[in-house]
Amino acid sequence: MSAAVAAALAAAFLDAPWEAPQLAAAGRWALGLRRAAWLDRLAADVVAQHPRPPCDAPRALTALLVAHPELASAQAVARRRGRPLRVRHLVAVPAAMGRARWPVPPLGGAADLAALLEVSPGELDWFADVRGWQRRAEGTALHHYRASWVAKRGAPRLLEAPKPRLRALQRRLLREVLGAVPAPPVVHGFVPGRSAVTGAREHCGAAVVVRVDLTAFFASVDAARTYRAFRSLGYPEAVAHLLTGLTTHATPARDLRGMPPGGDADERFALRHRLAAAHLPQGAPTSPALANLCARSLDRRLAGLAAALGARVTRYADDVTFSGGEELAAGAQRLVRCVTRVAADEGFTVNPAKTTVRGRGERQLVTGVVVNERPNPVRSEFDRLKAVLHRCAVHGPASVEAPGGVDLRSHLAGRVGWVEALSPSRGRRLRESFDAIAW
């Protein structure tokens, strides 16, 4: 009963002018009371805690009232007198946007979100799946994602690709909502106009390059953090819950059981634990932008740490890189310990096995780019690509098997384009070899 009374009071408060006397009067009307000094004290405390009406957060206001000692005391007194508090009048308060830092589209309620996505309310509930029905469903026909494991050094990676209809909705959210949020300067991954190449250029010619890898970057961002990210955009609670459901996924047990070998027992357990809870699926169009949004606090702290050390820092997804002069080189291990603590504070875990410290006399590698003097491809990879192009030109494309069954021409064109972005002179030679192939 206390939750129902608190919800009715929250609705009445939000429907009234946001001043303590008016809130108290609205509360007396909602509960059918003539006098109630406790409501005056309760209303005054609510206004003190919320100088602005939290129209976008009626659930949070209800939770505050449920836990408030004034309401608890009033209910106890009313029960002893045999006249428990009851809801006499109920107000339906329309949801509203909160304050938005960025020009995101206004979505006051579920109907607005359904209109933006051009789906019916029922379809919106089905795709958001906020109650987790699909995870418990047998078989795969009702699931919105297709899962595939990728073996790699350490624990394997799970790719979860949304099926076409959900993928289309996520792409619209990426374009209409998340695209309005600018990324911090340190972020170079999944940002228009930035790339692995622009991030690597920041570290060219440094005395030392320190790389730190964040374990299970996407899976580390759970539904609670995603919900808070949408709330930070100004969206009301109900809309934020639906948006969270549309962009997170709890991996079904069937897919978890298919985890291939790789990694030690602790790594595998931690990965299973993250994947079993709702998280950002690696493979969804919205996950990179949402991960960047949820990591804004991490990025600010990393930037502050770099500024204090006179260093440069970039982040490309889970790859954090610092570079600087001799002072940074002398304190590189201390920097790694600081980054590890900061990452833990922000809900991420550093993988010590992938942490590297490289001086000028060693190959300094950032997101697959050699940065000792200027951006360059890894020599061994460049030589292999050069040999493949030569073989295709001399013996024909049929003499080379495309990796993973992809289109060989597109695959080689992409690799040549990557080298061109790093080193125009080397890329030009490869492009001439590519153009000489008789496709």
Side-chain angles (χ1 to χ4, degrees), residues 75-100:
Q75 288 184 309
V77 171
R79 282 194 296 268
R80 284 199 302 270
R81 293 176 177 175
R83 297 193 298 271
L85 296 179
R86 299 186 184 278
V87 178
R88 304 298 181 182
H89 303 94
L90 190 60
V91 178
V93 180
M97 284 282 291
R99 287 180 292 177

Side-chain angles (χ1 to χ4, degrees), residues 111-132:
D112 295 334
L113 179 57
L116 176 73
L117 299 177
E118 298 182 356
V119 295
S120 68
E123 288 175 315
L124 179 60
D125 284 341
W126 168 246
F127 285 113
D129 190 30
V130 292
R131 293 187 175 91

